[in-house]
Amino acid sequence: MAEPEEKTPAPPQRPGRGTHLLRWVVGIIVGICIILFIASFFIDEPVRRVIEKKLNTHLVGYTVRLPGLHVRLIGFALTFKGLTIAQKAHPAPPIIEFPILKANVHWREIFSGKLVGELTLIRPKVHVNLAQLKTEVHSNVPVKKRGWQQALEDIYPLKINHVLIKDGDITYLDPDSKLPLRLGHVNFEADNIRNIHLPDRVYPSNFHLDTTVFDSGRGTVDGKANLLAEPVPGVKAHFKLEKVPIDRIKPIIARASLSIQGGQLGTDGAIEYGPKVNTAQIRNLVISGMTVDYIHSAATAAAENRRAAMARQAAKKLSNRPGLLLRMDQMNLTGCTFGMINRNKAAPYRIFISDTNLHLSNFSNQFSQGASTARLTGKFMGTGTTQATAAFRPEKQGPDLDLYVKIDNTQLTGMNELLHSYANFTVTGGTFSLITELHVKNNAVTGYLKPFFKDLQVRHERKGPLHRLYEMLVGGVAKLLENRPRQQVATKADISGPLKSPQTSTWQIIVELVRNAFFKAILPTFEHEARAVKR
């Protein structure tokens, strides 16, 4: 039997030239990467110093601190650590804090043949207090000349095409409030900022924002933008707010002589702002459970006049302004209370409407949008069933208003503060009702106010003879004016004549009606008898 032949092993093949070249190339690339990686740690500090110095040079009115920076030469990336920007006038707290800010090449756009950058901000914080805000507003240096654009170029030399913010925080600290106004968990993303794609579109860049509002509310904004538009950037977006607690702005509106308690807000709408278009539309605004009081006093009188003048100027400027459309399709207020507190009297008083439901529709600054209408129901002084309707149009040649109000069976005992303040007496029983109709057009007003007093009972106490005589006169006048079949006292005040000022706004007319004509019509005989007793 023949033994099998042993096979001679083939000699090892030597690598060809191509394999040697590939190994050399890979080795060189790996070596360069290692060198760049090691070099990154040696150039961190010099680059940090240069960037911090440049930022402080270009930003006017601010101080920049950059404690840490890491340069990643592979990928041309920078990571900023602990970057803060403080206002020189009020350095504490810093206006902006960036715990982590990353700038690198936007690699996705490399395939489009574009070399651009992207920014990623992780947990950034913005702090603003009243002192800092006033400094910003009253600064003589325009925003465009404060160096923000140059500072962005100092941070990263490539044009930024994509921005991503993760879990940001914006806080306003008011000196009169224990709780800050805070937008928390802010997430924002915008792409195609440099208009690489869709350059012919009016708004080529998409963006999204979501945040918590005052801790318990929620807000979202989705839209498109053209951030390179001239002379101003263009934005078109939809917004939505849900469950926003209104009373968190209490310290701010207190400076306008307003007191607010409770309340929750929700709304949605759209805005468009650009070189040629300026529109803001609220589709639906809902406010529930809010109590608001306007507080009038001698100390606030001068400020009230200034605010009224500013409101007149603003209304005149915005009314029927070409190219500007402000519109609210619907507003619904449910379960609210609106009041006025007058502390500018020897005997202060408060009048209010509780359980108020208000529906306002088609409110606009443009006459071409048609009439706005309002319907209100509530309880005057907590007991008087109240109904009101109104129609008004944006002023073109002066205010244009139709108003109808009816109040039934308000318990007079709940109005004792008012009665005592105006006529220096109190009642133990009776009801008050009112019907009023008011028309304003062509700078003239017409209408009437008709109050009714029923079963009026004046309090008789052990007081001086002069006061007892006064109470007797009040009761006597009520008897003389009594409507026997209905056992009620009625009078009527006609209103007619030109407006005192053609520039008076619709809202001012309504306020003046409440502050002046209303009270004079309610207590005409009481005021007359009060003067007679004093004589």
Side-chain angles (χ1 to χ4, degrees):
M1 185 173 178
E3 295 182 0
E5 297 182 0
E6 294 183 1
K7 294 183 179 181
T8 304
Q13 295 183 354
R14 295 182 178 181
R17 277 188 171 183
T19 305
H20 276 295
L21 181 60
L22 179 61
R23 288 179 177 176
W24 272 103
V25 171
V26 172
I28 291 172
I29 293 174
V30 171
I32 292 175
C33 289
I34 293 173
I35 293 172
L36 291 176
F37 179 75
I38 295 173
S40 296
F41 292 94
F42 286 95
I43 66 173
D44 283 355
E45 180 57 23
V47 173
R48 184 201 69 79
R49 288 197 301 266
V50 170
I51 292 180
E52 185 181 66
K53 184 178 179 180
K54 283 187 175 181
L55 290 173
N56 279 300
T57 300
H58 291 298
L59 283 176
V60 179
Y62 306 94
T63 300
V64 178
R65 290 190 66 255
L66 178 57
L69 179 141
H70 178 57
V71 180
R72 201 167 69 236
L73 294 174
I74 303 172
F76 192 41
L78 301 175
T79 300
F80 296 77
K81 301 176 182 179
L83 174 64
T84 62
I85 301 175
Q87 189 185 75
K88 288 183 178 179
H90 305 280
I95 290 180
I96 304 175
E97 296 182 53
F98 296 116
I100 299 292
L101 187 155
K102 297 179 180 180
N104 54 269
V105 175
H106 194 193
W107 293 106
R108 189 179 68 185
E109 300 303 338
I110 293 293
F111 299 103
S112 302
K114 303 290 183 179
L115 183 60
V116 291
E118 65 176 349
L119 284 180
T120 301
L121 291 73
I122 301 175
R123 297 185 301 279
K125 296 182 179 180
V126 177
H127 305 273
V128 180
N129 58 35
L130 185 59
Q132 293 169 335
L133 190 61
K134 287 182 177 179
T135 299
E136 292 291 327
V137 171
H138 295 100
S139 175
N140 294 324
V141 182
V143 175
K144 291 184 178 180
K145 295 185 179 181
R146 296 183 193 179
W148 291 104
Q149 184 174 354
Q150 184 61 49
L152 184 60
E153 294 177 1
D154 291 338
I155 287 177
Y156 198 64
L158 296 181
K159 300 292 185 181
I160 302 301
N161 189 59
H162 182 262
V163 174
L164 179 64
I165 298 175
K166 297 181 179 179
D167 197 21
D169 191 286
I170 302 174
T171 303
Y172 171 71
L173 304 170
D174 193 280
D176 297 327
S177 177
K178 296 180 180 179
L179 296 174
L181 299 180
R182 179 172 174 264
L183 301 180
H185 305 292
V186 178
N187 298 295
F188 174 82
E189 185 172 12
D191 61 12
N192 195 34
I193 295 173
R194 309 307 304 182
N195 297 0
I196 293 173
H197 306 288
L198 309 174
D200 297 329
R201 292 279 184 89
V202 177
Y203 302 108
S205 178
N206 295 312
F207 69 90
H208 168 80
L209 168 72
D210 61 80
T211 179
T212 59
V213 183
F214 307 160
D215 300 329
S216 59
R218 186 75 182 169
T220 58
V221 182
D222 287 283
K224 300 178 181 295
N226 186 345
L227 301 179
L228 303 181
E230 294 290 345
V232 293
V235 177
K236 185 177 183 179
H238 298 272
F239 62 88
K240 187 175 184 179
L241 295 173
E242 300 175 293
K243 299 180 179 180
V244 176
I246 304 175
D247 62 357
R248 290 291 292 273
I249 63 173
K250 183 189 304 184
I252 298 175
I253 68 169
R255 299 187 181 102
S257 304
L258 290 171
S259 171
I260 187 170
Q261 298 290 334
Q264 196 172 82
L265 177 146
T267 186
D268 67 278
I271 59 171
E272 185 171 5
Y273 176 82
K276 298 181 180 180
V277 181
N278 292 284
T279 65
Q281 178 188 13
I282 295 177
R283 296 194 181 97
N284 190 29
L285 173 65
V286 178
I287 298 176
S288 60
M290 176 180 66
T291 298
V292 178
D293 283 308
Y294 180 77
I295 303 172
H296 173 68
S297 66
T300 63
E304 289 172 14
N305 292 333
R306 288 195 299 269
R307 285 193 293 267
M310 292 174 62
R312 284 195 299 270
Q313 293 175 1
K316 185 179 179 181
K317 185 177 180 180
L318 296 176
S319 183
N320 297 291
R321 176 178 167 183
L324 175 66
L325 174 60
L326 305 176
R327 178 183 172 88
M328 181 160 54
D329 295 341
Q330 291 189 83
M331 180 178 73
N332 290 283
L333 278 63
T334 60
C336 295
T337 298
F338 298 95
M340 185 187 78
I341 300 173
N342 190 344
R343 293 177 178 166
N344 197 25
K345 300 282 289 183
Y349 64 87
R350 176 180 183 245
I351 60 170
F352 63 92
I353 300 178
S354 61
D355 302 315
T356 302
N357 296 314
L358 171 66
H359 177 77
L360 175 68
S361 62
N362 196 38
F363 182 74
S364 170
N365 72 315
Q366 294 292 339
F367 189 86
S368 60
Q369 297 293 307
S372 304
T373 59
R375 299 191 311 272
L376 178 146
T377 61
K379 292 185 177 180
F380 181 64
M381 304 304 287
T383 58
T385 302
T386 303
Q387 296 179 337
T389 60
F392 46 95
R393 289 149 289 275
E395 288 85 348
K396 227 178 181 182
Q397 295 179 345
D400 192 340
L401 165 71
D402 298 306
L403 176 66
Y404 176 80
V405 179
K406 183 179 181 181
I407 301 174
D408 282 329
N409 296 323
T410 303
Q411 295 299 314
L412 277 172
T413 52
M415 298 176 61
N416 268 328
E417 285 185 357
L418 173 65
L419 299 175
H420 182 67
S421 179
Y422 271 80
N424 195 27
F425 77 97
T426 57
V427 299
T428 57
T431 61
F432 161 76
S433 300
L434 172 75
I435 297 176
T436 181
E437 190 172 345
L438 185 68
H439 305 279
V440 179
K441 196 173 182 66
N442 298 325
N443 294 318
V445 56
T446 59
Y448 66 89
L449 290 145
K450 191 171 184 180
F452 299 84
F453 293 87
K454 183 179 179 181
D455 300 328
L456 179 63
Q457 299 176 27
V458 178
R459 177 182 297 169
H460 295 281
E461 298 177 350
R462 291 183 176 273
K463 297 181 180 179
L466 190 63
H467 191 84
R468 287 200 300 272
L469 174 61
Y470 171 56
E471 289 180 337
M472 291 172 62
L473 285 171
V474 169
V477 170
K479 290 292 183 181
L480 289 174
L481 296 176
E482 193 175 73
N483 186 325
R484 291 294 179 184
R486 302 183 61 184
Q487 292 295 303
Q488 63 185 14
V489 178
T491 187
K492 182 179 180 181
D494 291 317
I495 302 173
S496 64
L499 293 178
K500 291 182 179 180
S501 171
Q503 303 302 321
T504 304
S505 70
T506 300
W507 299 109
Q508 281 181 280
I509 291 172
I510 295 174
V511 171
E512 289 301 318
L513 170 67
V514 174
R515 290 177 59 184
N516 295 318
F518 179 71
F519 295 120
K520 291 179 181 179
I522 290 177
L523 302 171
T525 55
F526 297 150
E527 289 183 331
H528 173 75
E529 293 304 326
R531 288 193 296 269
V533 170
K534 290 178 181 179
R535 288 197 297 266

